[in-house]
């Protein structure tokens, strides 16, 4: 894992731009009501029996499963998971699956709806919809054994990105980015009842609390906030992953740069094969933050 180092809050980096557009981010009462009604319908759907294999059927559940992990700013975390794919699991650049995005909340248009960064329209801004920042990756579908090996490697990477605070427990590496949008979370098909949780629990070597989550409702104070030494566990079938904007993918870390082989060449590869694509959300295009314009033209 990357070494802990002093970093400025990303909220501070984007604070000026966000403040300038804050008035445009006020959601109308009608839109807020629509969002709340849709969230209630989504919550009702989550209470229905799941088609996910029963606890214990790990061999059936693992191959091809999509899982997501969140703990703070997703820029640096994506690099960690990509390196795990390439260096530990032997995946080529064409096989890299890790993407940054949003999860743990809601979209008014369901799984096909837009979830955006702060530059989107008011009813699409990820924190307003209850989401947090995550990295999604995909387990191998070649065999149950390989899929389990993948999940174990990803879980090790995830838990290595916390540091122990004596007398208190485990803290993520960038605590300056605080709030529900940066909360610790893991999403697997079936949530806490998933057979995949067996591996997650085994790799939770520092005994962080695993809390069953139901997701945060839109436009209200979050029930599932940024909790120290704890991780919210979500059913990724009910609370799916929404890919972030092209700009955020394969991004430099906050206050430090990754090689252009990662930020430019690997990103070009991901765009060419359709892993990274337009989300319909506004794109940030400031050159000083990333190589976005040089890639997309």
């Amino acid at each position: 894992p990357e070494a802990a180092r002093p970093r400025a809050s990303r909220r501070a980096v984007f604070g000026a731009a966000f403040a300038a557009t804050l008035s445009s981010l006020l959601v109308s009462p009608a839109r807020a009501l629509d969002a709340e009604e849709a969230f209630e319908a989504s919550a009702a759907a989550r209470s229905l029996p799941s088609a996910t294999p029963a606890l214990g059927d790990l061999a059936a559940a693992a191959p091809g499963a999509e899982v997501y992990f969140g703990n703070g700013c997703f820029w640096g975390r994506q690099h960690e998971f990509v390196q795990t794919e390439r260096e530990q699991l032997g995946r080529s650049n064409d096989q890299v699956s890790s993407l940054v995005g949003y999860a743990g909340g809601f979209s008014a248009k369901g799984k096909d709806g837009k979830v955006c960064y702060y530059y989107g329209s008011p009813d699409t801004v990820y924190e307003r919809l209850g989401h947090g920042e995550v990295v999604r990756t995909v387990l191998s579908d070649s065999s149950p054994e390989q899929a389990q090996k993948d999940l174990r490697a990803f879980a090790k990477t995830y838990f290595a990105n916390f540091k122990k605070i004596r007398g208190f427990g485990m803290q993520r590496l960038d605590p300056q980015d605080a709030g529900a949008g940066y909360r610790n979370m893991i999403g697997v098909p079936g949530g806490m009842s998933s057979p995949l949780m067996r591996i997650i629990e085994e790799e939770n070597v520092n005994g962080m609390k695993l809390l069953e989550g139901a997701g945060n409702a839109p436009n209200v104070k979050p029930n599932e906030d940024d909790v120290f030494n704890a991780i919210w566990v979500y059913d990724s079938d009910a609370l799916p992953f929404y890919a972030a904007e092209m700009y955020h993918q394969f991004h430099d870390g906050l206050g430090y740069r990754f090689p252009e082989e990662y930020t430019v060449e690997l990103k070009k590869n991901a765009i060419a094969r359709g892993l990274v694509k337009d989300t319909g959300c506004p794109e940030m295009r400031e050159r000083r933050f990333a190589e976005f314009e040089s890639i997309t033209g």
Side-chain angles (χ1 to χ4, degrees):
E2 42 184 89
R5 67 194 79 183
R7 304 174 192 173
S9 167
R10 201 182 67 204
R11 287 176 184 262
V13 174
F14 287 101
F18 179 59
T21 58
L22 183 61
S23 62
S24 69
L25 296 179
L26 298 176
V27 181
S28 70
R31 280 183 170 178
L33 182 60
D34 289 344
E36 290 165 8
E37 290 175 347
F39 181 81
E40 290 173 1
S42 175
R46 292 198 296 273
S47 69
L48 297 175
S50 173
T52 302
L55 184 64
D57 195 5
L58 183 57
E66 295 190 11
V67 296
Y68 57 75
F69 299 87
N71 62 331
C73 176
F74 51 21
W75 288 344
R77 300 293 80 75
Q78 183 183 23
H79 184 262
E80 295 279 345
F81 282 97
V82 167
Q83 294 303 89
T84 297
E85 290 191 78
R86 298 195 294 185
E87 296 178 359
Q88 297 185 37
L89 300 177
R91 296 184 181 183
S92 69
N93 288 348
D94 289 340
Q95 295 172 318
V96 165
S97 66
S98 297
L99 288 177
V100 296
Y102 316 108
F106 156 88
S107 171
K109 297 180 180 177
K111 293 183 180 181
D112 296 325
K114 287 194 299 185
V115 177
C116 304
Y117 201 64
Y118 297 111
Y119 305 102
S121 61
D123 57 341
T124 67
V125 174
Y126 81 99
E127 277 196 281
R128 290 177 174 271
L129 296 175
H131 292 280
E133 297 187 8
V134 299
V135 178
R136 184 230 60 184
T137 193
V138 182
L139 308 185
S140 171
D141 60 2
S142 64
S143 71
E145 293 76 19
Q146 184 60 52
Q148 292 172 55
K149 178 182 177 181
D150 290 358
L151 180 58
R152 191 170 298 280
F154 293 137
K156 284 181 183 293
T157 296
Y158 179 69
F159 286 110
N161 276 279
F162 293 90
K163 61 183 177 181
K164 183 172 290 186
I165 305 299
R166 187 182 297 273
F168 292 94
M170 304 303 293
Q171 180 186 69
R172 64 172 181 266
L173 299 182
D174 59 349
Q176 73 279 3
D177 275 330
Y182 301 99
R183 66 192 184 273
N184 304 325
M185 68 174 87
I186 296 174
V188 295
M192 290 288 279
S193 298
S194 171
L196 302 182
M197 286 302 298
R198 182 183 309 166
I199 291 176
I200 299 296
E201 290 165 355
E202 289 172 358
E203 296 304 325
N204 182 19
V205 294
N206 290 298
M208 296 183 71
K209 294 179 182 178
L210 300 178
L211 307 175
E212 185 169 14
N216 283 329
N219 305 311
V220 296
K221 183 178 179 179
N223 290 322
E224 296 168 7
D225 211 335
D226 189 8
V227 182
F228 187 88
N229 197 45
I231 299 166
W232 295 102
V233 177
Y234 295 128
D235 178 355
S236 58
D237 290 332
L239 295 167
F241 168 83
Y242 295 83
E245 296 82 347
M246 298 173 71
Y247 162 75
H248 287 297
Q249 307 296 339
F250 303 95
H251 197 287
D252 284 320
L254 186 60
Y256 55 97
R257 296 180 67 86
F258 294 124
E260 288 193 358
E261 179 276 331
Y262 173 82
T263 59
V264 177
E265 298 307 322
L266 190 56
K267 187 167 185 172
K268 285 181 178 179
N269 173 291
I271 292 171
R273 59 192 173 94
L275 179 67
V276 171
K277 50 193 172 185
D278 181 28
T279 64
C281 296
E283 293 284 356
M284 181 76 174
R285 292 180 177 270
E286 293 190 25
R287 290 181 187 275
R288 64 193 180 96
F289 289 121
E291 303 293 340
F292 179 78
E293 288 185 339
S294 67
I295 294 172
T296 62

